[in-house]
Amino acid sequence: MPAATLDPYRKRDSVAGHGEFPLEVKQRLIGMVMEDPRFPEYLYGCYECGICVAACPSARFYDFSPRRIAQAASRRDVELMFQQMQEDIWECSQCFSCLRCPRGNNPGGIITVMREVAVKEGLHSAREALAGYSRIIYKIMSTGTQVSPDMLQPDAFPDWGPEVKDVSENLDLWRRMLPPETLHTTTTGWKVADRTLVELYVIWLETGALDMIAQVDRGIHMILEELMEERLEEEGIEV
Amino acid sequence: MSETAVSVILSKKKQFDREPDRRSADFHDKLFQLEAEGELVVQRISGDYVEVPTKYGIAKKIQKANLWHHKSCGQCGHIPGYSTSIFWIMRKLGYGYHDPEDQTSCTAWNYYASATSNQAAQAAVALRNFAAAYETGYFPLIHCGTSYGHYKEVRSELLHDGALREQVRKVLAKLGKEMVIPEEIVHYSEWLYAVREEIRSRMVYDFSNIAVTVHPACHYYKLVEGDAIFDPDVYHGQRTAAVSGLVQSMGADLRSYSTFFDCCGFGFRHILVQRDFTRSFSTLRKIEVMKAEADPDVVLTHDTGCVTALDKSQFAARAHERNVGIPVLSEAQFAALAMGAHPFKVCQLHWHSTNYRPLLEKMGIDWREAWKEFEVDAKRLERGEQEFLTWADVDA
Amino acid sequence: MDERVVVIGGGPAGLSAAIAAGQLGAPVTVVEKLGYLGGRPIEEHYASLTPHLADAEEVMGGMVHDLEACADVEILLESEVVGVSEGDAPFTVSIRTPRGVVERTSPSVIVATGFQHFDPGRETQLYGYYEFPDVVALQDLEAMLKEGSVVRPSNGEAPKRICFVQCVGSRDRQIGNEYCSKVCCGVASKEATEVRMALPDSEVFIFYIDMRMYGYWESQIYWPAQEKHHVQYVKGIITEVLPKDGKLLVRGEDTTMGRPMEIPMDLVVLSVGMEPSPGTRRMAQMLGIEQNKYGFVEAKNPPLDTVSTSRDGVFAVGTALGPADLEDCASSGGLAAARAVARLGTRVGG
């Protein structure tokens, strides 16, 4: 068991609400973050000037600080970075206001890389943060558009006002009343050619993007894999 | 008046003249170098173009006609009047375009939200779209701020990472596509800025009494800020001139507020699965501040997520008796309205949540009459007399 | 042939060099583009000099007096060097003066063309220098201090809360100025002290990344500012200045306390750093001497030879070499003078 830390900010794994991980696992995961080709461009050094925090929306809402992300990474503090990977990284709103860093750091970018590793490795935090998100992943990976008109359901967006209900009730008609010919769709944002979807599937399969979601949602992964392989087989494309 | 320290200070501050800027390492150098080495194809600007000023002083070329519309999934899906207005303005100004079906989303919304993708996949998605545009001869125009910012990041990664280029090239080869990067990555709001005088000359309403606040979109000008538009004539070149420059040209009453820099609260994953954050940030840091400091008739912005977050967050806040209630539009819809676009058939305002009717009244647009016209068309479609509404119907 | 030491620039470093050369008995020509000597401190109306708060006009006036007292000094005002001969020294230096172009022969040219204040319009943070009248720069406040009237330019009222924002245009990879400008911490603290003395009811804040007042500046400026004048130092840089209710709201993070801060101010002073002056860039190019990526003249043999450049017989001094305080300027000026006169001496004596 790792020794209790003297750092008041750092919590023990059990306190942080996730299971105990051996140090080697943490080192391996943080190693993946640091070896990412983008990492050297995302982190130079940190002055602790606080510019990133002042510009950060999430810092105003959560106990979140892009400066702590940059600092932990600068210090190569495996324990602290691992803790952040279990918690903080999902609070970032990815607006990239922190890019104003005078050192040229990109805390939001560091977080992107940390999230990718968390997803790839199926960390508890990733699964928790993405609970309820599977439908979106399915949509984007299978249809090539993220937001579809038929997502506008009053029960999904009860806080968005009564217009959501109007839209969902009139969806088919109102979509047909859009003058651009590509927008008469209800299940995708616009009409995406079939061949284009096949090309997208090739990208997901060739780059390992599909594999990434196996850890987060095995069910969705299986459905997608089946769908994609079947379509590629029909097209006679091998990957 | 004799010269005092204060008068000297004030006169010095009148005009910011940008000196050539060292940081402006121009990505074009590397782009054209790789083109010359045969590593990639650069889709060049062609035909009539406008040069616009950018953050670090390098002029950016905006092609005026023959554009390939890289649509936004959030706009097309949930704010269809946004995309439709962009098309409508382009038609009105007489510029030809191509609205492709072989375009996918940039998938960056998902990427920023969930990280269930990776660098190579994101780059391949971007370049597949660029190649598709190149094949048609039309030049890509990116509707979404996130796609625009993300593609600029991808461009920078590809230009500086040979291994990534190799990996993506292999994937593209499988698709039978070339590796193409356009000479400029252009956001539709840059195109609107470039043609703002043409828009002004075709306005059919006087908007000088319409008070406007602008929310500049983070992914437009914070991601790879170097080639975002900054114009010395708009906020002294200290804020991006996209949207504000158009509003200024249109003669509307542009008003500032103290949290203009703050993000809208969209948060990518937050808007979908943690909306308490989005609602709080959107209303407390943006809408309420605008209301208190500028009391605008409308908020204009130029990205998908910002329209959604700012518009949809106000309903719940109103239930809590917060000081909200400002309609939210894209500047494309605003410009289209000024040019006489139909508020429902073109701008599709019935997809918006915050009450826009007082705004239309102030603009001099009879929304009751317009809604009747919309319903007449709807009935015609319901009766099966016509399957779709066409451009001919809305231009009538 | 009459060989002279040619000093380009009549600011603190150029004057130091010219006086030292003159006092060593060398014939000296000082070329100054303005109609007066004294450089930035006079041109920008500095009230006092750091760290001793000596009156800028008096100090610079004293230097001009010392220069004029030298035996063979030629001061060319409103003049510019427009050409220098190719090849080895001695150089033929062409100087455009109000009375036409003159030529001087010199085995040693001293470049003392100085710096300019960073233009806050190019800042990456949102300080709104060109948007808000009550956002000023260090030299703007100097000019007000000199007039004895520190006011909000927007309404002429005395400010109650004033803050300094450090490192504007310095230590910033995005702007391309990765260096520290050396003097801004000291100058800001000096000005903060002067404001507190002029407006005893005011509150003065300095927002900083780290305070860089090395050597005696610590006890000469920093400690008195904090201990005697109660200037408030907050570790954390302001990222935005925004108008709110007739005041300026400054936003940043108080990094010591670890929380975002938003504080209303009446006057915001940007501690702008140093960049090479247009004259420095132009002269370096004309003389064909190496410049670093920032445009300052590159010293050939640092750290112990700070004034030789890539061209034999051409020396650079003061802020033409990079950010420097007045002590640095005087030191490099003196060293360059010695080197320059030695070359002259050899030729004259030989």
Side-chain angles (χ1 to χ4, degrees):
Chain A
M1 191 177 122
T5 171
L6 293 175
D7 179 346
Y9 167 65
R10 198 160 76 208
K11 301 160 194 159
R12 273 183 295 124
D13 290 348
S14 54
V15 177
H18 50 78
E20 302 278 338
F21 284 83
L23 183 60
E24 303 78 66
V25 171
K26 298 178 184 176
Q27 280 168 336
R28 185 173 60 81
L29 265 53
I30 300 307
M32 289 168 74
V33 172
M34 303 223 200
E35 280 152 27
D36 189 281
R38 289 163 291 179
F39 190 79
E41 298 280 310
Y42 287 174
L43 181 71
Y44 295 93
C46 174
Y47 274 140
E48 297 236 50
C49 67
I51 278 173
C52 56
V53 176
C56 174
S58 293
R60 284 172 190 279
F61 195 81
Y62 303 106
D63 179 19
F64 171 79
S65 162
R67 180 167 58 84
R68 291 201 299 242
I69 300 283
Q71 269 294 317
S74 300
R75 297 175 192 176
R76 304 250 185 283
D77 186 329
V78 169
E79 293 283 356
L80 193 46
M81 286 180 79
F82 186 76
Q83 182 191 306
Q84 291 172 339
M85 218 147 105
Q86 290 283 17
E87 298 184 28
D88 308 41
I89 56 168
W90 298 103
E91 286 160 0
C92 166
S93 32
Q94 297 276 289
C95 66
F96 295 96
S97 300
C98 51
L99 275 175
R100 248 163 40 192
C101 171
R103 294 294 288 274
N105 296 337
N106 180 353
I110 300 171
I111 286 172
T112 309
V113 176
M114 288 168 86
R115 282 182 178 183
E116 275 181 41
V117 172
V119 166
K120 216 179 290 177
E121 294 293 313
L123 282 192
H124 173 71
S125 77
R127 283 205 297 267
E128 197 177 70
L130 298 180
Y133 196 81
S134 306
R135 194 178 157 206
I136 312 273
I137 294 173
Y138 178 77
K139 192 66 130 183
I140 189 81
M141 295 194 97
S142 66
T143 73
T145 69
Q146 168 136 11
V147 178
S148 61
D150 62 359
M151 278 181 183
L152 280 174
Q153 302 285 345
D155 53 340
F157 299 96
D159 54 334
W160 278 10
E163 292 75 11
V164 175
K165 189 159 167 271
D166 296 342
V167 168
S168 86
E169 281 173 2
N170 294 292
L171 194 65
D172 178 64
L173 176 65
W174 285 5
R175 292 302 287 187
R176 284 192 286 123
M177 291 181 74
L178 296 171
E181 298 79 6
T182 52
L183 300 188
H184 299 147
T185 49
T186 54
T187 56
T188 58
W190 62 87
K191 191 174 174 214
V192 182
D194 206 39
R195 169 75 200 171
T196 300
L197 287 183
V198 172
E199 291 176 353
L200 190 67
Y201 297 167
V202 172
I203 292 174
W204 297 145
L205 290 164
E206 286 283 328
T207 57
L210 182 62
D211 295 339
M212 289 181 74
I213 59 169
Q215 295 285 356
V216 183
D217 192 321
R218 211 164 289 280
I220 289 284
H221 178 257
M222 270 171 55
I223 298 170
L224 279 170
E225 199 173 36
E226 215 166 289
L227 168 83
M228 291 180 189
E229 281 173 358
E230 195 178 319
R231 281 296 287 119
L232 293 191
E233 210 179 286
E234 282 166 24
E235 297 281 329
I237 298 173
E238 262 181 57
V239 292
Chain B
M1 201 180 94
S2 69
E3 203 172 70
T4 62
V6 166
S7 70
V8 172
I9 292 169
L10 291 176
S11 72
K12 212 164 65 170
K13 282 147 112 6
K14 268 188 193 137
Q15 176 70 34
F16 167 51
D17 294 312
R18 178 174 287 285
E19 273 189 64
D21 208 322
R22 264 195 308 290
R23 65 181 140 177
S24 54
D26 188 343
F27 71 89
H28 288 105
D29 299 343
K30 184 79 185 171
L31 183 70
F32 294 147
Q33 183 202 325
L34 291 174
E35 180 192 35
E37 290 166 4
E39 274 239 28
L40 47 78
V41 175
V42 176
Q43 183 175 7
R44 300 285 183 151
I45 301 280
S46 66
D48 210 6
Y49 64 86
V50 178
E51 285 200 343
V52 299
T54 61
K55 173 88 178 177
Y56 302 153
I58 298 173
K60 179 172 185 174
K61 293 179 191 168
I62 311 291
Q63 181 171 322
K64 286 171 86 170
N66 299 326
L67 298 168
W68 190 87
H69 285 258
H70 181 293
K71 298 175 289 298
S72 148
C73 43
Q75 286 168 25
C76 293
H78 292 177
I79 328 163
Y82 197 152
S83 334
T84 305
S85 295
I86 300 172
F87 289 125
W88 186 86
I89 293 172
M90 209 162 265
R91 299 175 75 88
K92 266 282 178 227
L93 297 183
Y95 294 114
Y97 66 83
H98 179 64
D99 175 10
E101 291 181 6
D102 60 347
Q103 179 224 326
T104 72
S105 158
C106 66
T107 73
W109 178 349
N110 171 61
Y111 179 57
Y112 290 127
S114 74
T116 52
S117 185
N118 59 45
Q119 205 189 1
Q122 291 302 108
V125 167
L127 289 201
R128 202 212 59 81
N129 278 327
F130 287 150
Y134 178 69
E135 288 159 9
T136 65
Y138 287 78
F139 195 87
L141 181 74
I142 320 285
H143 286 198
C144 175
T146 290
S147 305
Y148 167 83
H150 181 61
Y151 284 171
K152 291 202 292 181
E153 276 193 323
V154 166
R155 175 180 69 196
S156 154
E157 288 166 13
L158 282 168
L159 292 182
H160 297 106
D161 186 344
L164 181 66
R165 279 201 300 277
E166 251 348 278
Q167 198 184 350
V168 173
R169 196 193 318 280
K170 278 190 195 132
V171 178
L172 290 171
K174 277 232 143 88
L175 311 179
K177 294 210 179 286
E178 281 186 279
M179 182 170 263
V180 182
I181 296 182
E183 183 177 348
E184 304 281 5
I185 292 181
V186 183
H187 189 232
Y188 85 87
S189 69
E190 299 180 321
W191 183 83
L192 286 178
Y193 172 89
V195 300
R196 64 197 187 285
E197 287 308 312
E198 293 169 49
I199 289 173
R200 198 247 305 257
S201 70
R202 285 165 195 255
M203 282 173 67
V204 297
Y205 294 103
D206 173 12
F207 277 6
S208 57
N209 67 331
I210 306 295
V212 174
T213 49
V214 169
H215 166 66
C218 295
H219 285 191
Y220 171 71
Y221 76 110
K222 292 177 186 174
L223 280 169
V224 196
E225 64 175 0
D227 56 354
I229 299 181
F230 282 74
D231 180 339
D233 292 334
V234 180
Y235 292 117
H236 298 273
Q238 305 294 298
R239 307 182 191 182
T240 179
V243 188
S244 298
L246 173 67
V247 173
Q248 210 167 277
S249 290
M250 290 173 65
D253 177 10
L254 178 64
R255 296 183 185 177
S256 185
Y257 60 102
S258 62
T259 54
F260 79 89
F261 182 81
D262 273 330
C263 105
C264 63
F266 185 71
F268 296 86
R269 58 182 292 274
H270 301 81
I271 188 88
L272 293 164
V273 292
Q274 238 170 49
R275 253 192 330 277
D276 52 340
F277 167 80
T278 299
R279 277 197 307 269
S280 307
F281 205 84
S282 235
T283 53
L284 300 180
R285 288 295 293 189
K286 299 295 296 195
I287 298 293
E288 286 200 335
V289 178
M290 292 178 197
K291 191 103 179 155
E293 296 178 7
D295 194 22
D297 298 308
V298 63
V299 185
L300 298 184
T301 183
H302 54 146
D303 197 6
T304 318
C306 316
V307 173
T308 304
L310 293 172
D311 180 29
K312 305 295 186 196
S313 297
Q314 296 185 50
F315 177 74
R318 211 176 46 186
H320 290 104
E321 292 174 356
R322 308 289 320 188
N323 185 25
V324 296
I326 315 172
V328 182
L329 305 182
S330 68
E331 96 281 38
Q333 289 164 299
F334 186 73
L337 286 171
M339 291 167 67
H342 198 283
F344 302 110
K345 295 188 207 177
V346 175
C347 300
Q348 305 284 327
L349 295 181
H350 48 294
W351 291 68
H352 292 241
S353 286
T354 310
N355 190 5
Y356 49 82
R357 293 167 195 88
L359 170 69
L360 293 182
E361 281 164 19
K362 199 165 175 187
M363 288 172 164
I365 297 170
D366 186 342
W367 57 267
R368 285 182 189 82
E369 190 54 37
W371 184 250
K372 268 185 214 154
E373 291 160 8
F374 180 81
E375 287 199 308
V376 167
D377 284 344
K379 287 277 175 297
R380 211 165 63 243
L381 263 65
E382 277 179 317
R383 285 196 301 269
E385 290 167 24
Q386 195 177 340
E387 192 181 0
F388 304 112
L389 223 55
T390 65
W391 286 114
D393 295 310
V394 305
D395 288 335
Chain C
M1 198 160 156
D2 178 24
E3 291 194 335
R4 314 181 64 82
V5 172
V6 173
V7 179
I8 309 172
L15 289 175
S16 297
I19 293 166
Q23 288 177 345
L24 287 167
V28 177
T29 295
V30 177
V31 185
E32 169 55 54
K33 75 172 183 332
L34 299 173
Y36 47 85
L37 295 172
R40 287 282 162 205
I42 301 303
E43 186 186 0
E44 304 262 12
H45 308 287
Y46 291 2
S48 67
L49 301 181
T50 311
H52 300 290
L53 276 67
D55 182 280
E57 243 175 68
E58 271 175 34
V59 173
M60 297 319 297
M63 289 188 88
V64 175
H65 181 265
D66 289 350
L67 178 67
E68 287 169 344
C70 295
D72 184 3
V73 169
E74 173 190 36
I75 300 172
L76 302 175
L77 298 177
E78 296 177 54
S79 301
E80 257 182 283
V81 172
V82 290
V84 177
S85 58
E86 307 260 318
D88 294 341
F91 310 109
T92 304
V93 182
S94 310
I95 305 159
R96 190 175 57 226
T97 76
R99 292 163 305 284
V101 174
V102 299
E103 283 186 353
R104 297 291 177 265
T105 306
S106 172
S108 32
V109 172
I110 297 176
V111 180
T113 41
F115 76 102
Q116 66 182 354
H117 297 281
F118 173 75
D119 184 337
R122 277 173 45 219
E123 175 54 51
T124 306
Q125 312 307 322
L126 295 155
Y127 294 148
Y129 180 82
Y130 288 93
E131 286 186 77
F132 315 124
D134 297 333
V135 177
V136 301
L138 281 179
Q139 67 275 22
D140 300 330
L141 178 57
E142 277 289 343
M144 289 199 275
L145 284 164
K146 185 177 177 183
E147 251 179 31
S149 161
V150 176
V151 296
R152 308 182 68 196
S154 62
N155 60 11
E157 285 172 13
K160 294 189 188 69
R161 279 178 154 217
I162 301 124
C163 74
F164 292 78
V165 182
Q166 297 306 110
C167 299
V168 177
S170 306
R171 309 174 76 196
D172 194 315
R173 179 177 264 116
Q174 310 232 22
I175 291 168
N177 293 347
E178 288 97 344
Y179 53 83
C180 165
S181 290
K182 267 187 175 173
V183 303
C184 335
C185 285
V187 173
S189 297
K190 182 214 71 146
E191 291 185 17
T193 299
E194 290 169 312
V195 169
R196 285 281 298 135
M197 291 193 289
L199 304 168
D201 293 333
S202 63
E203 278 186 281
V204 179
F205 299 81
I206 295 184
F207 296 106
Y208 68 96
I209 296 175
D210 26 45
M211 269 293 134
R212 301 191 154 189
M213 282 175 279
Y214 41 85
Y216 295 131
W217 281 27
E218 187 84 9
S219 51
Q220 286 167 338
I221 323 172
Y222 191 7
W223 287 19
Q226 230 176 1
E227 297 176 9
K228 192 168 164 215
H229 300 287
H230 304 291
V231 173
Q232 299 180 40
Y233 287 82
V234 181
K235 183 168 165 39
I237 284 291
I238 298 305
T239 78
E240 284 156 39
V241 178
L242 300 154
K244 178 121 182 160
D245 303 332
K247 290 182 184 296
L248 294 167
L249 195 68
V250 301
R251 291 170 66 179
E253 186 199 9
D254 180 337
T255 58
T256 308
M257 303 300 175
R259 62 187 178 209
M261 55 183 171
E262 296 196 353
I263 310 173
M265 293 287 163
D266 298 307
L267 186 67
V268 175
V269 186
L270 304 179
S271 295
V272 290
M274 291 186 177
E275 291 193 321
S277 69
T280 292
R281 290 169 193 269
R282 208 166 45 241
M283 283 306 121
Q285 259 178 353
M286 184 182 295
L287 288 157
I289 52 179
E290 264 173 41
Q291 294 168 270
N292 62 23
K293 66 182 265 204
Y294 311 113
F296 289 112
V297 177
E298 187 88 318
K300 199 178 78 179
N301 281 317
L304 293 178
D305 177 2
T306 51
V307 296
S308 297
T309 69
S310 59
R311 188 171 183 188
D312 196 37
V314 177
F315 304 94
V317 297
T319 51
L321 287 160
D325 59 24
L326 290 165
E327 287 109 316
D328 288 344
C329 290
S331 305
S332 58
L335 177 59
R339 294 270 160 80
V341 174
R343 293 172 59 87
L344 191 69
T346 311
R347 284 165 196 280
V348 173

